[in-house]
Amino acid sequence: MASATPSSTGSATPASAVTALDAETLQAWQREDPDLIVLDVRSAAEFESLHIAGSVNVPLPLLKDNADSVATRLGARTVLVCQSGVRAEQARQRLGAAGLVTATVLTGGVPGYAAAGGNVVRGRERWDLERQVRMAAGSLVLAGLAGGRFASPKVRTVAGVIGAGLTFSAATNTCAMGKALSVMPWNKAAAEPTRDDVLASLPSAAAKSPEAAAS
């Protein structure tokens, strides 16, 4: 992936020329472009804990199910963010298939943006979903090894299954465990966004059309 950097004239490289950008460049884009849209594709609970000021929460499963509708509302400068960039890249590919090929991914995710001095909103602190996945996978592997040692060798199969699952997750850039954990009660926010909530938070399709721009 290429990273966007401001040009010598002070303006940022056009969004269509890159697929990823760093936190400093995003802050520059935010200052320059009032129409910039930042989509946060993490879970609603993660968004509630920490998010970029002015960003719109569209959890990845919701975005995947409504990519065509969402893509029609987004302009040329759309930045996708998550915890590390993995889910945002999945969202970029899904939106690209829906016709939006100019979206970019924030490298380093929301924590990196906050560390760079970006304007963020903090709420109730929770473990992010990716950290929960690491804890769950590690705990299951340890349990499998301990069970194989003290109970039955067959229990070691658990560790093998988890290892195979993580390998598949990396190869396909998906995470079944993360999806399962996202529906747990502790990962539920006070208000989960719906399709209508998301579309109401984005510019209307008419406002994005050439005819509306010319009128």
Side-chain angles (χ1 to χ4, degrees), residues 62-72 74 91 94-95 97-98:
L62 182 63
L63 183 145
K64 286 183 173 179
D65 290 342
N66 299 277
D68 292 337
S69 299
V70 172
T72 62
L74 302 176
R94 184 64 185 86
L95 289 172

Short mmCIF file of all heavy atoms in Angstrom, two decimals, residues 62-72 74 91 94-95 97-98:
data_model
loop_
_atom_site.label_atom_id
_atom_site.label_comp_id
_atom_site.label_asym_id
_atom_site.label_seq_id
_atom_site.Cartn_x
_atom_site.Cartn_y
_atom_site.Cartn_z
N LEU A 62 -22.43 -4.56 8.99
CA LEU A 62 -23.50 -3.70 8.46
C LEU A 62 -23.09 -3.10 7.13
O LEU A 62 -23.89 -3.03 6.18
CB LEU A 62 -23.81 -2.60 9.47
CG LEU A 62 -24.94 -1.63 9.11
CD1 LEU A 62 -26.27 -2.37 9.00
CD2 LEU A 62 -25.04 -0.52 10.16
N LEU A 63 -21.83 -2.67 7.02
CA LEU A 63 -21.35 -2.10 5.77
C LEU A 63 -21.37 -3.14 4.65
O LEU A 63 -21.79 -2.85 3.53
CB LEU A 63 -19.95 -1.53 5.95
CG LEU A 63 -19.36 -0.83 4.73
CD1 LEU A 63 -18.50 0.36 5.14
CD2 LEU A 63 -18.52 -1.78 3.87
N LYS A 64 -20.90 -4.35 4.95
CA LYS A 64 -20.88 -5.40 3.93
C LYS A 64 -22.27 -5.70 3.40
O LYS A 64 -22.46 -5.95 2.21
CB LYS A 64 -20.24 -6.67 4.49
CG LYS A 64 -18.72 -6.58 4.66
CD LYS A 64 -18.15 -7.90 5.15
CE LYS A 64 -16.63 -7.88 5.15
NZ LYS A 64 -16.05 -9.15 5.64
N ASP A 65 -23.27 -5.67 4.29
CA ASP A 65 -24.64 -5.96 3.88
C ASP A 65 -25.30 -4.82 3.12
O ASP A 65 -26.30 -5.04 2.42
CB ASP A 65 -25.50 -6.29 5.11
CG ASP A 65 -25.14 -7.63 5.73
OD1 ASP A 65 -24.49 -8.45 5.05
OD2 ASP A 65 -25.49 -7.83 6.92
N ASN A 66 -24.74 -3.61 3.25
CA ASN A 66 -25.36 -2.43 2.63
C ASN A 66 -24.35 -1.61 1.84
O ASN A 66 -24.50 -0.39 1.72
CB ASN A 66 -26.00 -1.55 3.72
CG ASN A 66 -27.10 -2.27 4.47
OD1 ASN A 66 -28.23 -2.34 4.03
ND2 ASN A 66 -26.75 -2.80 5.65
N ALA A 67 -23.33 -2.27 1.29
CA ALA A 67 -22.24 -1.55 0.62
C ALA A 67 -22.73 -0.70 -0.54
O ALA A 67 -22.26 0.42 -0.74
CB ALA A 67 -21.19 -2.54 0.14
N ASP A 68 -23.67 -1.20 -1.33
CA ASP A 68 -24.15 -0.45 -2.49
C ASP A 68 -24.81 0.85 -2.05
O ASP A 68 -24.55 1.92 -2.62
CB ASP A 68 -25.14 -1.29 -3.30
CG ASP A 68 -24.47 -2.48 -3.98
OD1 ASP A 68 -23.24 -2.41 -4.19
OD2 ASP A 68 -25.16 -3.46 -4.27
N SER A 69 -25.67 0.78 -1.03
CA SER A 69 -26.36 1.98 -0.54
C SER A 69 -25.39 2.98 0.07
O SER A 69 -25.50 4.19 -0.15
CB SER A 69 -27.42 1.59 0.50
OG SER A 69 -28.40 0.74 -0.06
N VAL A 70 -24.42 2.47 0.84
CA VAL A 70 -23.45 3.35 1.48
C VAL A 70 -22.54 4.00 0.43
O VAL A 70 -22.25 5.20 0.50
CB VAL A 70 -22.61 2.57 2.51
CG1 VAL A 70 -21.47 3.44 3.04
CG2 VAL A 70 -23.49 2.10 3.67
N ALA A 71 -22.11 3.22 -0.56
CA ALA A 71 -21.17 3.73 -1.57
C ALA A 71 -21.75 4.91 -2.33
O ALA A 71 -21.03 5.84 -2.70
CB ALA A 71 -20.79 2.61 -2.54
N THR A 72 -23.06 4.90 -2.57
CA THR A 72 -23.68 5.99 -3.32
C THR A 72 -23.69 7.30 -2.54
O THR A 72 -23.87 8.37 -3.12
CB THR A 72 -25.12 5.65 -3.71
OG1 THR A 72 -25.91 5.45 -2.53
CG2 THR A 72 -25.17 4.39 -4.57
N LEU A 74 -21.09 8.33 -0.56
CA LEU A 74 -19.73 8.74 -0.23
C LEU A 74 -19.07 9.51 -1.36
O LEU A 74 -19.26 9.18 -2.54
CB LEU A 74 -18.88 7.51 0.13
CG LEU A 74 -19.42 6.66 1.28
CD1 LEU A 74 -18.56 5.44 1.47
CD2 LEU A 74 -19.48 7.47 2.57
N ALA A 91 -13.31 -3.33 4.34
CA ALA A 91 -14.36 -2.41 3.94
C ALA A 91 -14.02 -1.71 2.62
O ALA A 91 -14.88 -1.51 1.76
CB ALA A 91 -14.59 -1.36 5.04
N ARG A 94 -14.71 -4.05 -0.19
CA ARG A 94 -16.15 -4.25 -0.41
C ARG A 94 -16.76 -3.02 -1.08
O ARG A 94 -17.59 -3.15 -1.99
CB ARG A 94 -16.84 -4.51 0.93
CG ARG A 94 -18.33 -4.83 0.80
CD ARG A 94 -18.54 -6.11 0.04
NE ARG A 94 -19.96 -6.36 -0.20
CZ ARG A 94 -20.65 -5.88 -1.24
NH1 ARG A 94 -20.03 -5.11 -2.14
NH2 ARG A 94 -21.92 -6.15 -1.39
N LEU A 95 -16.37 -1.83 -0.65
CA LEU A 95 -16.88 -0.61 -1.29
C LEU A 95 -16.36 -0.49 -2.72
O LEU A 95 -17.06 0.00 -3.60
CB LEU A 95 -16.47 0.62 -0.47
CG LEU A 95 -17.19 0.80 0.87
CD1 LEU A 95 -16.56 1.94 1.66
CD2 LEU A 95 -18.68 1.07 0.66
N ALA A 97 -15.86 -2.96 -4.73
CA ALA A 97 -16.71 -3.84 -5.53
C ALA A 97 -18.07 -3.20 -5.80
O ALA A 97 -18.73 -3.52 -6.79
CB ALA A 97 -16.89 -5.17 -4.82
N ALA A 98 -18.46 -2.26 -4.91
CA ALA A 98 -19.73 -1.56 -5.08
C ALA A 98 -19.59 -0.30 -5.92
O ALA A 98 -20.57 0.42 -6.11
CB ALA A 98 -20.32 -1.22 -3.71
#
